[in-house]
Amino acid sequence: QVQLVESGGGLVQPGGSLRLSCAASGSPFSIAAMGWYRQAPGKQRELVAAKTSSGTTNYADFVKGRFTISRDNAENTVYLQMNSLKPEDTAVYYCNLVATIGLGRYTYWGQGTQVTVSS
């Protein structure tokens, strides 16, 4: 079993910054991809940013130039640096891990961390 532990959410004013962290631990696994999704009230969960094991990085158009995803491979941790935050960035942010365990590929989700952008 693999566990994801998120931290770093909170309340911030428009224009401010937050840094989210997500650490993966548990059964032996290798990371195929790790990233962040978000879900605002009444909306579907959507991709924010993700980074594959080959180094490919994908960002949603609405965060390009403002958010940066990075990974610490030694610690199996992914970070999301969020700058120039807007009220529309308010959502629950979920860490996502696509892991290879043996011959199988599995998807895991964190518990979610609330990000609120408001004055």
Side-chain angles (χ1 to χ4, degrees), residues 67-88:
F67 292 9
T68 303
I69 188 170
S70 60
R71 264 175 54 186
D72 182 334
N73 292 327
E75 298 294 330
N76 287 335
T77 300
V78 66
Y79 303 95
L80 185 68
Q81 178 66 43
M82 304 186 293
N83 299 327
S84 302
L85 282 161
K86 305 175 182 179
E88 51 264 42

Side-chain angles (χ1 to χ4, degrees), residues 47-97:
L47 172 71
V48 176
K51 202 170 183 68
T52 69
S53 58
S54 63
T56 301
T57 301
N58 294 312
Y59 289 101
D61 286 343
F62 53 77
V63 303
K64 284 181 180 177
R66 301 189 297 127
F67 292 9
T68 303
I69 188 170
S70 60
R71 264 175 54 186
D72 182 334
N73 292 327
E75 298 294 330
N76 287 335
T77 300
V78 66
Y79 303 95
L80 185 68
Q81 178 66 43
M82 304 186 293
N83 299 327
S84 302
L85 282 161
K86 305 175 182 179
E88 51 264 42
D89 293 318
T90 296
V92 178
Y93 284 69
Y94 295 91
C95 179
N96 170 267
L97 166 67

Side-chain angles (χ1 to χ4, degrees), residues 96-115:
N96 170 267
L97 166 67
V98 179
T100 301
I101 303 175
L103 299 178
R105 184 159 285 186
Y106 304 87
T107 298
Y108 299 90
W109 293 94
Q111 78 280 8
T113 184
Q114 178 70 47
V115 171

